Amino acid sequence: IYLYTIYLYTIYLYTIYLYTIYLYTIYLYTIYLYTIYLYTIYLYTIYLYTIYLYTIYLYTIYLYTIYLYTIYLYTIYLYTIYLYTIYLYTIYLYTIYLYTIYLYTIYLYTIYLYTIYLYTIYLYTIYLYTIYLYTIYLYTIYLYTIYLYTIYLYTIYLYTIYLYTIYLYTIYLYTIYLYTIYLYTIYLYTIYLYTIYLYTIYLYTIYLYTIYLYTIYLYTIYLYTIYLYTIYLY
């Protein structure tokens, strides 16, 4: 137990020693970082102050430039007013000149329009009279056209009746023609059948007559044979 206690106490002291070294190291590192932080702030302060002084310098130059530019613009403004006054006076005189020309032009244009008005009335009167004569001319042509068209339609009507009559008469003649052909065909066919009938009777008569003659011939031969045989026996 004594030895173990010494062992544990030794470990404890060694741990305290190491922890003391660790804390001292952190302390020194903290002092190092804080020194760097303070030096950085010092440098940044110098940088900002330099920028501040440079900004004041530039702003001074800027204000002086604005001052000079304002003087320049004011000079231009006054010169512009001077020129604009001359311009307006020139426009005023030119306007009076143009208005005078305008009034004189209106006077001449009024005379011109009145002349055109009178000439237009004259032309319109001629136009209306021409339309009147042309309307009479067209109406005459219209009535004559209706007259000719009526004659044309009546002619077509009569010609249609004529053609329809010819058509009906043609159908009538064609019907008679077909009926005649039909009757003639029946007549020829009847003659044909009657001829066949007579020819059949003729052939049949010849056939019977031939049989008759052949029978007589055979019978004659038979009788003649009997006759000869009788003579022979006798």
Side-chain angles (χ1 to χ4, degrees):
I1 288 167
Y2 171 73
L3 290 171
Y4 187 70
T5 303
I6 288 167
Y7 169 73
L8 289 173
Y9 189 70
T10 305
I11 289 168
Y12 169 73
L13 289 172
Y14 188 70
T15 303
I16 286 169
Y17 169 73
L18 290 173
Y19 188 69
T20 303
I21 290 166
Y22 168 74
L23 288 173
Y24 189 69
T25 305
I26 286 169
Y27 169 74
L28 290 173
Y29 188 70
T30 304
I31 287 166
Y32 168 73
L33 289 174
Y34 187 70
T35 305
I36 289 167
Y37 168 73
L38 289 172
Y39 188 71
T40 303
I41 285 169
Y42 169 73
L43 290 173
Y44 189 69
T45 304
I46 289 166
Y47 168 73
L48 288 174
Y49 189 70
T50 306
I51 287 169
Y52 168 73
L53 291 172
Y54 188 69
T55 304
I56 287 168
Y57 169 73
L58 289 173
Y59 190 68
T60 305
I61 290 167
Y62 168 74
L63 289 172
Y64 188 70
T65 305
I66 284 172
Y67 169 73
L68 290 173
Y69 190 67
T70 304
I71 290 166
Y72 168 74
L73 287 174
Y74 189 70
T75 306
I76 288 169
Y77 169 74
L78 291 172
Y79 188 70
T80 304
I81 287 170
Y82 168 74
L83 290 174
Y84 190 68
T85 306
I86 291 166
Y87 168 74
L88 287 173
Y89 188 70
T90 306
I91 284 174
Y92 170 72
L93 292 173
Y94 189 68
T95 303
I96 289 168
Y97 167 73
L98 288 174
Y99 190 68
T100 307
I101 289 168
Y102 169 73
L103 290 172
Y104 187 69
T105 305
I106 284 173
Y107 169 73
L108 291 173
Y109 191 67
T110 304
I111 291 166
Y112 168 74
L113 286 174
Y114 189 70
T115 307
I116 284 172
Y117 169 73
L118 292 173
Y119 189 68
T120 303
I121 288 168
Y122 168 73
L123 288 174
Y124 191 67
T125 306
I126 289 168
Y127 169 73
L128 289 173
Y129 187 69
T130 305
I131 283 178
Y132 169 73
L133 291 174
Y134 190 67
T135 304
I136 291 167
Y137 167 73
L138 287 174
Y139 190 69
T140 307
I141 287 171
Y142 169 72
L143 291 173
Y144 187 69
T145 304
I146 288 169
Y147 169 73
L148 289 174
Y149 191 67
T150 305
I151 290 168
Y152 168 73
L153 288 173
Y154 188 69
T155 305
I156 285 172
Y157 169 73
L158 291 174
Y159 189 68
T160 303
I161 290 168
Y162 168 73
L163 289 174
Y164 190 67
T165 306
I166 287 170
Y167 169 73
L168 291 173
Y169 188 68
T170 303
I171 287 170
Y172 169 73
L173 289 175
Y174 190 67
T175 305
I176 291 168
Y177 169 72
L178 289 173
Y179 189 68
T180 305
I181 286 170
Y182 170 72
L183 292 174
Y184 188 68
T185 303
I186 290 168
Y187 168 72
L188 288 174
Y189 190 67
T190 306
I191 288 171
Y192 169 72
L193 290 173
Y194 188 68
T195 303
I196 288 169
Y197 169 72
L198 289 174
Y199 189 68
T200 305
I201 290 168
Y202 168 72
L203 290 172
Y204 188 68
T205 305
I206 288 170
Y207 170 72
L208 290 173
Y209 189 68
T210 303
I211 290 168
Y212 169 71
L213 288 174
Y214 190 68
T215 305
I216 289 170
Y217 169 71
L218 289 173
Y219 189 69
T220 303
I221 289 168
Y222 169 70
L223 289 174
Y224 189 69
T225 305
I226 291 168
Y227 169 71
L228 288 174
Y229 189 69
T230 305
I231 288 170
Y232 170 72
L233 288 173
Y234 183 74

